[in-house]
Amino acid sequence: MARRSLLFSPGDRPELMRKAPGTGADVVCFDLEDAVAPGRKDEARAAVRRVLAAPDFDPDAEVCVRLTASDPGADLDALVGAEIADEAGSDGDAEPAIRLDAVMLPKVEGADRVADAAALCADRGLDPAVFALVETAGGVLAAEAIADAAATEALLFGAEDLAADLGATRTDEGTEVLYAREHVVLAAGAADVDALDTVYTAFSDTEGLREEAAFARTLGYDGKLAIHPSQVDPINEAFTPDPDEIEWASRVLDARDEADREDRGVFSVDGEMIDAPLVARAERIVERAAAAGIDAR
């Protein structure tokens, strides 16, 4: 499953939520947290529920809801419907009539938050993936445990909230959050879960977005968060291997297969000796291409 781009849509804007899958984003996330004013939470919960429960709402994109940090149980009760939540009880047997593939948790600072959210979902008959948003100093320091939690499928880096938490000044270069950015992707890699990079707030600066997304990919990120539909295509392009990469990877893996058949431990491609790290890189390129719908072999 590709998670190159995750597009946020405000939970109190049903017209935007319905349009979000048409942007080409791999993941659409309906936001009940930052994008919704405190006084509009109930209205937003009802709006998200109506979209998720609509019979014609069955997009190709992965569908996620960002829960509130203060009351995720109330969010989930509203999403599945009070009557369904009561019926599911602790057995989790009822089948909520909503399309919900994942939930996002804001400001995660420990693996217990992931476990608690998974339990809240199970109590209501839900079994979504959990995306953990690491955006505080405590979260960065606990990133390894958060990524390793059983329900975690993706670790997300939030630079803006982290900078605010630290009292750091955001710069174009991003050096003030670089260590944290690298730490989060290392934790995700160690746990073998996806890593999604922080938002690029200047949504009209397409060239700047392309550069930042390309840099995030060199760090090892699998995708990037988007706050505007216009950001989806540049992000998808940045995290999709280009034809030259795919061709190189295919040659490497073909040469590896031939060497295996001939029981050779050493082989070369284009005059370059290929070792295990280069094979792993080729495999990752092919996997990313396949996730993006490209037949690389």
Side-chain angles (χ1 to χ4, degrees), residues 211-241:
E211 291 176 3
E212 182 161 292
F215 178 65
R217 184 182 169 193
T218 68
L219 294 180
Y221 277 93
D222 300 287
K224 191 168 180 65
L225 308 179
I227 57 173
H228 192 276
S230 66
Q231 295 182 317
V232 170
D233 284 345
I235 289 174
N236 282 348
E237 291 168 8
F239 289 95
T240 301

Side-chain angles (χ1 to χ4, degrees), residues 180-205:
R181 198 178 186 187
E182 293 175 328
H183 186 77
V184 168
V185 76
L186 281 170
D192 195 25
V193 300
D194 287 339
L196 276 67
D197 188 42
T198 189
V199 299
Y200 188 73
T201 57
F203 60 83
S204 61
D205 180 10

Side-chain angles (χ1 to χ4, degrees), residues 20-263:
T23 64
D26 291 329
V27 186
V28 293
C29 183
F30 302 154
D31 193 3
L32 293 174
E33 178 71 351
D34 290 348
V36 178
R40 292 174 60 88
K41 295 293 184 185
D42 288 341
E43 179 183 340
R45 288 164 175 156
V48 173
R49 157 75 183 178
R50 285 193 295 272
V51 173
L52 297 181
D56 60 345
F57 184 72
D58 188 24
D60 292 333
E62 193 172 11
V63 179
C64 175
V65 171
R66 175 155 70 163
L67 305 177
T68 60
S70 59
D71 201 351
D75 298 335
L76 293 168
D77 283 345
L79 295 183
V80 302
E83 72 284 354
I84 295 177
D86 290 342
E87 182 182 349
S90 60
D91 296 330
D93 292 330
E95 183 66 27
I98 59 172
R99 169 68 186 278
L100 182 64
D101 304 315
V103 293
M104 183 188 298
L105 309 180
K107 294 181 171 60
V108 180
E109 295 190 330
D112 57 329
R113 277 281 306 283
V114 177
D116 290 348
L120 288 172
C121 290
D123 287 347
R124 292 156 178 80
L126 296 166
D127 185 26
V130 175
F131 298 166
L133 187 49
V134 174
E135 51 185 342
T136 64
V140 171
L141 294 177
E144 185 175 352
I146 296 168
D148 204 39
T152 301
E153 287 200 17
L155 209 59
L156 286 53
F157 177 54
E160 304 307 319
D161 281 274
L162 175 63
D165 188 41
L166 295 173
T169 300
R170 291 293 274 129
T171 65
D172 291 340
E173 296 77 18
T175 52
E176 69 283 355
V177 295
L178 181 57
Y179 166 77
R181 198 178 186 187
E182 293 175 328
H183 186 77
V184 168
V185 76
L186 281 170
D192 195 25
V193 300
D194 287 339
L196 276 67
D197 188 42
T198 189
V199 299
Y200 188 73
T201 57
F203 60 83
S204 61
D205 180 10
T206 302
E207 187 55 36
L209 172 63
R210 291 184 191 278
E211 291 176 3
E212 182 161 292
F215 178 65
R217 184 182 169 193
T218 68
L219 294 180
Y221 277 93
D222 300 287
K224 191 168 180 65
L225 308 179
I227 57 173
H228 192 276
S230 66
Q231 295 182 317
V232 170
D233 284 345
I235 289 174
N236 282 348
E237 291 168 8
F239 289 95
T240 301
D242 63 40
D244 289 343
E245 287 181 290
I246 294 171
E247 184 180 350
W248 173 84
S250 181
R251 290 201 305 273
V252 168
L253 297 184
D254 287 345
R256 177 205 59 188
D257 293 345
E258 182 178 353
D260 287 346
R261 287 192 297 270
E262 297 176 358
D263 200 24

